[in-house]
Amino acid sequence: EVQLVESGGGLVQPGGSLRLSCVVSGFTFSSFTMKWVRQAPGKGLEWVSSIGNSGIYTSYANSVKGRFTISRDNAKNTLYLQMNELKPEDTAKYYCAKQTTNLPSGQGTQVTVSS
C-alpha cells in the first residue's frame, strides 16, 4: 500500500521558517521524481517544487524560488521542503506526491503564516 505521510507544518510569523517532511512507503522512493504541492483555502492545487530521483535536479514555482529548498534522503524514504522567509500567502495545506500524481493521497500538513 502506497503511503505518504507529511509533517512539520504549523503556525509561524511572517519571515519565519519551517521544514516539512514526507515519509514514503509502498513504492521504490529512489526511483521516482517527487513534488510538493499546496492548496490554499478556497483555491486549487498549486505546484510548489519538484526534485529528480537522485536529488540533483530541482525546480521551483516562481512564487517560492529563492525561499524554499526541496531535498530528499533516499536512504530514509523521506522528502523535505525547507521554507524560509515565509509570507502570509504561503498559508496552505502542503502535500507531497509523485511527480506524475494529479491528486495527492496523503493527509497533508497545514502551514499558517500569520502575525
Side-chain angles (χ1 to χ4, degrees), residues 96-107:
C96 64
K98 293 179 183 178
Q99 181 68 27
T100 53
T101 298
N102 290 327
L103 292 177
S105 59
Q107 85 286 355

Side-chain angles (χ1 to χ4, degrees), residues 2-5 22-29 34 76-79 96:
V2 172
Q3 286 194 318
L4 302 99
V5 180
C22 170
V23 178
V24 165
S25 60
F27 65 95
T28 306
F29 177 68
M34 298 293 294
K76 295 182 178 180
N77 283 1
T78 303
L79 181 71
C96 64

Side-chain angles (χ1 to χ4, degrees), residues 9-87:
L11 173 63
V12 63
Q13 292 187 341
S17 297
L18 285 172
R19 189 193 196 203
L20 306 185
S21 298
C22 170
V23 178
V24 165
S25 60
F27 65 95
T28 306
F29 177 68
S30 60
S31 295
F32 288 88
T33 296
M34 298 293 294
K35 65 182 177 183
W36 286 97
V37 297
R38 66 187 181 185
Q39 187 167 27
K43 296 190 176 181
L45 282 172
E46 176 190 14
W47 170 75
V48 174
S49 181
S50 297
I51 186 167
N53 65 317
S54 66
I56 295 175
Y57 299 104
T58 60
S59 58
Y60 298 92
N62 286 337
S63 58
V64 307
K65 197 173 294 182
R67 300 188 297 121
F68 290 11
T69 303
I70 190 170
S71 62
R72 63 193 297 163
D73 185 336
N74 286 343
K76 295 182 178 180
N77 283 1
T78 303
L79 181 71
Y80 302 101
L81 186 68
Q82 177 68 43
M83 306 188 296
N84 299 329
E85 301 175 36
L86 283 160
K87 304 176 181 180

